[in-house]
């Protein structure tokens, strides 16, 4: 996954990730899971402080490369999961009820790992309205 980038650089980061994926074949889009890791909330973080990783599942180590891709691991463990249907621009419509309504009433505690997404399908292969994204909230 590319190193953490501020929000204004997100499209560039995604472009680098796609170029790496195509050039190396180490994480083929149609055979590997794709994730996003949100270290910060884009609605509240200063744009220059927003950090987000885009990631692809790999079966072997990622060699040094010019695309800025580094090896990281999403740790296993319990998570609350909600499925979001539609545009990634509307993810907050699914995140906020999970974080601000369900979590406080659940008796659960957050684990020290950021919220992350699994993109079950991707643009441009599918219409934006038909996107399916699972949102994971790591729990203790």
């Amino acid at each position: 996954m590319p190193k953490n980038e501020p929000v204004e650089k997100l499209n560039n980061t995604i472009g680098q990730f796609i170029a790496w994926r195509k050039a190396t074949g180490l994480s083929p889009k149609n055979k590997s899971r794709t994730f996003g890791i949100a270290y910060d909330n884009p609605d509240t973080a200063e744009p220059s402080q927003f950090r987000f990783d885009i990631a692809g599942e790999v079966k072997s180590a990622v060699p040094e490369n010019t695309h800025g891709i580094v090896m990281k691991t999403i740790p296993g463990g319990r998570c609350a999961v909600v499925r979001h249907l539609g545009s990634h621009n509307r993810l907050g419509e699914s995140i906020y009820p999970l974080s601000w309504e369900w979590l406080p009433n659940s008796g659960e505690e957050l684990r020290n790992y950021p919220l992350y997404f699994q993109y079950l399908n991707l643009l441009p292969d599918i219409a934006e309205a038909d996107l399916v994204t699972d949102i994971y909230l790591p729990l203790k």
Side-chain angles (χ1 to χ4, degrees), residues 5 17 25 49 54 57 61 70 73 75 80 128 135:
E5 295 286 351
F17 174 70
Q49 300 299 309
I54 185 80
E57 180 179 43
V70 297
T73 300
E128 187 172 27
I135 302 166

Side-chain angles (χ1 to χ4, degrees), residues 65-88:
N65 59 82
T66 60
H67 296 97
I69 306 299
V70 297
M71 192 86 164
K72 291 185 180 180
T73 300
I74 296 174
R78 295 177 58 240
C79 292
V81 182
V82 65
R83 180 157 286 173
H84 175 81
L85 304 175
S87 172
H88 295 158

